[in-house]
Structure formats: structure tokens, C-alpha cells
Amino acid sequence: MLLPRTEPVFDGLRTSFLRFDGLLSELRSDSHCGFVSVEFPGYSGAILVDGGDAISATERMGSVETHGAAALKGIVTRACEPGGMVGVFRLSSAFVQLAATVGVGTPVYRDLSSSFTSLERLLAKLKDGRFDGYVEAAFSEPPAAGLVFLRAGEVSESLFEQGGSVETGMAAVARIVDEASEHEATFHVIHTSPTAHVAARIPNEAPPAAQAPEIRPTQITAVAGPLVVWSEILRRAEEVVDGLSQKGTFSAALQEAFKERATAYPYLDPTVAEFAYRDGQATFHGDAIPESLPDALTNSLHDAIARLAFRLKRSDIESRVRAELSEVRSRHSAAFQGFPASARSLVS
């Protein structure tokens, strides 16, 4: 589905360490408006969310596209598999409602060629007929796509995408018209009712997380909180260290550091099993995440890196980890503001 990604909330989250059901729950509690994207090689999915509720979904595998509840089920299933990327983006409620009509209308014209059809005259004809729906435009050379939404014949919104860049509004309409006058394009005209988004709304009879692993009632996995950020910090550090040595080297050193720090931070004690880090995922089993967790993990990580630098005779490990973590800070800058100075210094 063609959607603008100009207002990212989270981007580049890996499915291998993300609890997708927790993400959807967090968006619901925040009354989020926008969409969630799930991407794998040869696969893409988008869930439109308005006021925290999933109102529409589109799943594409190759040239096959699915919409509605079936697409939502497929997206949730794929998002629980490793190897994919997840993004969360903000849109206005009005934009989400328009986008939810894609895939639920009735075709009026299909495969109109720009060689025989002027887009300007087509839009003028639809305006005279007070048309409700949208026009899809597909360009093969250079690859591009466009959408023009109409209500009572008037353009209400538009998108144009080319080379990963998306334009919106009337500028997008002008771009689509200009491109269609210079390059071969195919148009589809789809009629929808003004309330088509209501029909597109996905019933909440069962939580979307039905395909996800069961959540322990006391397990806290705050999507925008310290656990997600620390999952990425520790995973990135692990990739650097294990890449310079062998798999498991970082984890062993970190566990040693946890044991040593358990006197000050009892929840790090492996025998207590409150905090754990494994397979790229930080989890906490308890009633509330301790305020001292960033300090505890910062100190443990520093201990582990120092120990590894000595054992592996690699004085560059710390600088390599810092370089790898610089991207984490840029993408989670808001979360880092609540961390202590010692934790923020990790990626300064």
C-alpha cells in the first residue's frame, strides 16, 4: 500500500526481537493514528490504525495483494517470524480513513493507458460527475505510483511515490499529471462510498495477537520504554563482539557482569530470573521495571566490554561498540532523555 513515511514513530525494528502483540497493544493504549509496516524480502504488509484500532490491512506477496481481516492475520503471523523489519508511522485520522478505502471499492475503469487517456480530462470528468473514490496510477519506466482520492469529484488527498520519496497533497496531483504526460502510465478508477472506511474496519472480535506467542501475565515488554531500547543496545554490542570472536562470547561476559552486579541490583541475579537477555531480547518478569535498570545495565555493559577488551586483546572493542550504538541514540533520542548520564554516554 502506498503510504507516506514522513512522520516515523519507530522505524527499523527487527522482528527477531520485537513482540509484535505488545506493539499493537501499546498503539491501542496510545490511541495511535497512522500505520504499521512489516517487510520481508518479497513481502510487505501495512496495518492502518485509527484511534488505536486496526481499521484496515493490506498484505502483498509478489504480485498477490490481500486486504481486510485475512491480511491482518497474515501480517501478524509474519511479524512473529525472524528476518523482517517493522516500522510505525503517524498519519492524520482523516488520511487513515481515506487510505482504508483502498481495496474495498468497485472498479469503474481498469487499465486505462495514458497513451489514449488524458489524466487531466479524466479528473475533470470525475469532478463533473461528483465522483467518490480514487484513481490509481502505475508507471513502469521509471518505476513510480500515484493515488488520487476524490470526494464529490473534488481532490481530497493525493500521493506520488518514486524512488522511495513520497509527495502528498496537490503537489502530488501535479506530479502525477506531469509524469503521465511524459511517461507511459496505467490508470484504474475505483468507486467507493463516502463511508467505505466503515465497511473496511476490521472487527475486534479477537485480539490481533492471536498468532503471537503467549505472553506471561507478569512480563513487562514496554514498546517505547527501556526494554526495547536496551534490547537493541545489547544486541548491537553482541553483534560487534561476537563478530570479532565467536558466537556466545558477549553473552558469557555479560552474564558474569550480571552476577558481580547482583549485590547492588538483585534483579540481575540469574537465579532470581527477573531480568534476562537472550536471543537479542531484554525482558523483565516482575510487577514494575526498576528505575535503576538503566544504571544496572550500563554498569554491566561497561564491565563486560572491559573484560572482553582484556581477554581478546582488542583495545578497539569499546570504540567499535560506541560507533555501532550511535544509530540507536538517533532513533531513540526521546527514550534516551530519561536515561542517566552514564547510560547516555554509551553512544555519545
Side-chain angles (χ1 to χ4, degrees), residues 4 7 23 34 41 44 77 87 125 183 237:
E7 292 190 57
L23 173 61
S44 64
T77 300
K125 178 180 178 180
H183 305 284

Side-chain angles (χ1 to χ4, degrees), residues 11-15 18 37-40 81 83-87 331:
D11 197 8
L13 301 175
R14 296 173 185 257
T15 57
L18 173 72
S37 68
V38 177
E39 297 178 346
F40 289 79
E81 300 174 1
M85 303 296 288
V86 175
R331 290 197 295 107

Side-chain angles (χ1 to χ4, degrees), residues 35-97:
F35 71 98
V36 181
S37 68
V38 177
E39 297 178 346
F40 289 79
Y43 174 93
S44 64
I47 302 173
L48 288 167
V49 179
D50 188 26
D53 293 327
I55 68 169
S56 182
T58 300
E59 183 182 35
R60 175 180 283 273
M61 290 181 284
S63 60
V64 178
E65 194 167 275
T66 307
H67 299 272
L72 177 62
K73 181 178 179 181
I75 293 169
V76 171
T77 300
R78 287 302 300 269
C80 295
E81 300 174 1
M85 303 296 288
V86 175
V88 179
F89 302 87
R90 186 176 289 109
L91 298 172
S92 69
S93 178
F95 202 117
V96 171
Q97 296 293 335

Side-chain angles (χ1 to χ4, degrees), residues 8-15 17-33 35-39 45-47 49 51-54 72 75-76 79-80 84-89 208-209 212-213 215 219-225 228 281 332:
V9 178
F10 302 106
D11 197 8
L13 301 175
R14 296 173 185 257
T15 57
F17 70 92
L18 173 72
R19 293 190 67 87
F20 195 68
D21 54 343
L23 173 61
L24 296 181
S25 295
E26 186 78 8
L27 297 180
R28 190 175 300 113
S29 65
D30 288 346
S31 298
H32 180 76
C33 285
F35 71 98
V36 181
S37 68
V38 177
E39 297 178 346
I47 302 173
V49 179
D53 293 327
L72 177 62
I75 293 169
V76 171
C80 295
M85 303 296 288
V86 175
V88 179
F89 302 87
I215 308 175
Q219 182 171 343
I220 300 172
T221 52
V223 170
V228 162
Q281 177 77 56
H332 296 289

